[in-house]
Amino acid sequence: MADNTPEFIDRINNPEKYPVIKNKDGSISTHRMAAEVDESGNWFVFPTIVMLPSGELYEFKSNQQAMDYNLRTGNYLPMKDKDEAIDYASGGYKKGTKLEKMGQPKE
């Protein structure tokens, strides 16, 4: 993206504009975020489900494959440490977004 904002951020903020993956249990997935550290000790978060140029979602088989792809394409966020990275990847990215309520029963 021109402003260096990772592509997945728009999918988090505007999930209604994008496709989803339907899971075997009937739930849906949009990102499946992961947190990994590189050989220099830098922590990153990135999606293991990415939007391909064709507009389809693709799910990587491993975090390493996803990390390699996302670091190459700029579709990641650097994190200050392990705790921040794990917190974000394990659901912190949904806080305060439409994804937080997505899939929940309407009140």
Side-chain angles (χ1 to χ4, degrees):
M1 297 180 77
D3 64 0
N4 294 329
T5 301
E7 175 275 328
F8 74 87
I9 297 295
D10 193 57
R11 289 193 293 129
I12 289 172
N13 293 327
N14 302 291
E16 70 282 357
K17 292 177 20 184
Y18 296 97
V20 297
I21 289 179
K22 293 182 181 176
N23 302 309
K24 291 178 184 176
D25 67 1
S27 65
I28 59 170
S29 293
T30 59
H31 295 78
R32 286 204 186 107
M33 297 299 291
E36 294 290 339
V37 63
D38 69 9
E39 61 280 348
S40 300
N42 301 303
W43 281 91
F44 302 95
V45 293
F46 50 87
T48 62
I49 297 173
V50 298
M51 178 72 66
L52 297 176
S54 65
E56 296 177 85
L57 292 179
Y58 176 80
E59 185 172 6
F60 285 96
K61 304 285 188 251
S62 74
N63 283 3
Q64 187 62 53
Q65 288 175 326
M67 182 173 164
D68 292 345
Y69 174 85
N70 286 301
L71 290 181
R72 190 173 63 250
T73 61
N75 197 31
Y76 67 90
L77 290 174
M79 294 286 148
K80 66 180 178 184
D81 58 34
K82 179 181 180 179
D83 291 338
E84 182 184 51
I86 299 295
D87 181 62
Y88 187 89
S90 54
Y93 69 96
K94 293 180 182 181
K95 292 178 184 165
T97 72
K98 295 174 186 176
L99 287 180
E100 191 169 32
K101 294 182 181 179
M102 199 166 161
Q104 294 181 5
K106 296 193 190 272
E107 298 179 28

